[in-house]
Amino acid sequence: MVALTPGDESDDIGYGPLFKTLNTVSSVLSILGCLLVIGAFLGFPALRRYFARLVLYLAISDLWLCTSFLMGEFERPHYTKCVVQSMLGIFFGLSSVLWTVAIADSIRRIVMARDLTVESRHEKRLHIVSWGLPLLALGTVLLLGASGPSGMICWIENSALGTVLRLSTFYLPLWLAIAYSLWVYWCVSQRLSHLLDEVASSNADEYEGTAFEYHKDLERQRRSLRLLMLLPLILVFCWSPSSLRRLLDVIFPHMGRSVLDYVCVFTGPLQGFLNALVYGSTPAVRDAITGRFDHGAAKLKGLKSQLRMLRRKKRNFQNLEEDHF
């Protein structure tokens, strides 16, 4: 978000067409990706399990965050629109970070702590934290009157109070989330292969199927976990440039426009699109989609065979009429 808010709104630094185009392209790609994730969840009942629900909540957050990016700049005559844009950015920017952390923490609990009760015990808590803290952050900013024009978008205004609120309501949680995600990825990567080997050796005799099917199923689990582990890394990839830019902005308050700003404005909103790519590559999603297509193709094939049978009966009936009448 920092790439959209360099300097102060009173600065005469203009936003060129390339800057705005990068923001638009990245945001539109993410909105389309989020809509595909939501559509897959609604269209395929098999994709409504625990991790799929977490990805859904993340997609909803990214959808509205990127919608706020697309709303553009608002001046004082349209200040109500500016307030709406600020509210969307504050609330869904933080909720996107927290739902990504929820995915990383759930993976850690299952793989490292072998806690299989995450769905029954922790999902409600995740909702309280991932929606409750953004609501608290939004209320604090509005109560202090710190929302307003902030560079290319409306978010938290450029002021001493605004800097404190930006750090406390977005950047500090973001940096903690990045550190935690990297730690979870390292720990789970070290543990994953050993854990699946243990599962393979302990459950092989109880598996109802061939050895080939058993190893294929284990490979599906391995691939699914590895792809889910990429979701927290996407957060790191998308927001690391903006984090670096914010740190440079604190150290060098009058730092002008740089190439890093263009990188930030493209990668920041891209999280929803990359999440959709990774989620769409999981075996469960691919099987659900290909299964639906195969089912549709089978139904179409069945209809064609029924039509051929009806034509054959009609032809036989016409031949019967010609023979007897």
Side-chain angles (χ1 to χ4, degrees), residues 100-283:
T100 305
V101 173
I103 293 173
D105 187 63
S106 296
I107 294 174
R108 181 195 65 82
R109 288 179 182 275
I110 291 175
V111 176
M112 301 298 297
R114 300 191 181 186
D115 182 4
L116 302 180
T117 65
V118 288
E119 181 175 356
S120 59
R121 293 179 54 190
H122 299 291
E123 188 169 2
K124 291 182 179 179
R125 298 176 188 175
L126 293 178
H127 279 286
I128 294 173
V129 173
S130 299
W131 299 125
L133 289 182
L135 187 61
L136 178 62
L138 176 60
T140 302
V141 174
L142 294 179
L143 183 64
L144 296 175
S147 65
S150 179
M152 197 174 109
I153 64 170
C154 291
W155 184 42
I156 301 174
E157 63 183 5
N158 289 290
S159 64
L161 176 62
T163 299
V164 174
L165 290 174
R166 287 181 184 185
L167 289 173
S168 59
T169 63
F170 184 73
Y171 284 105
L172 287 179
L174 173 65
W175 296 336
L176 291 174
I178 288 176
Y180 184 71
S181 297
L182 291 174
W183 178 75
V184 168
Y185 183 82
W186 183 82
C187 291
V188 171
S189 298
Q190 299 293 319
R191 177 66 177 159
L192 183 59
S193 298
H194 180 64
L195 177 64
L196 289 178
D197 290 340
E198 288 182 0
V199 173
S201 59
S202 61
N203 296 339
D205 296 334
E206 302 175 2
Y207 187 80
E208 296 180 0
T210 64
F212 176 77
E213 293 173 341
Y214 182 59
H215 287 291
K216 185 178 180 181
D217 187 51
L218 285 176
E219 187 58 35
R220 280 170 51 86
Q221 297 179 29
R222 188 191 306 270
R223 178 175 173 79
S224 296
L225 276 174
R226 291 196 180 280
L227 286 171
L228 286 173
M229 287 164 55
L230 292 179
L231 295 178
L233 291 186
I234 290 174
L235 175 77
V236 178
F237 169 78
C238 290
W239 289 106
S240 288
S242 293
S243 298
L244 176 61
R245 180 63 173 83
R246 174 54 62 196
L247 291 173
L248 292 174
D249 194 49
V250 172
I251 298 172
F252 307 103
H254 302 290
M255 181 179 177
R257 182 70 53 80
S258 66
V259 177
L260 183 59
D261 290 318
Y262 293 90
V263 177
C264 296
V265 79
F266 183 72
T267 58
L270 201 61
Q271 184 178 358
F273 174 69
L274 296 178
N275 287 341
L277 284 182
V278 170
Y279 180 65
S281 301
T282 57

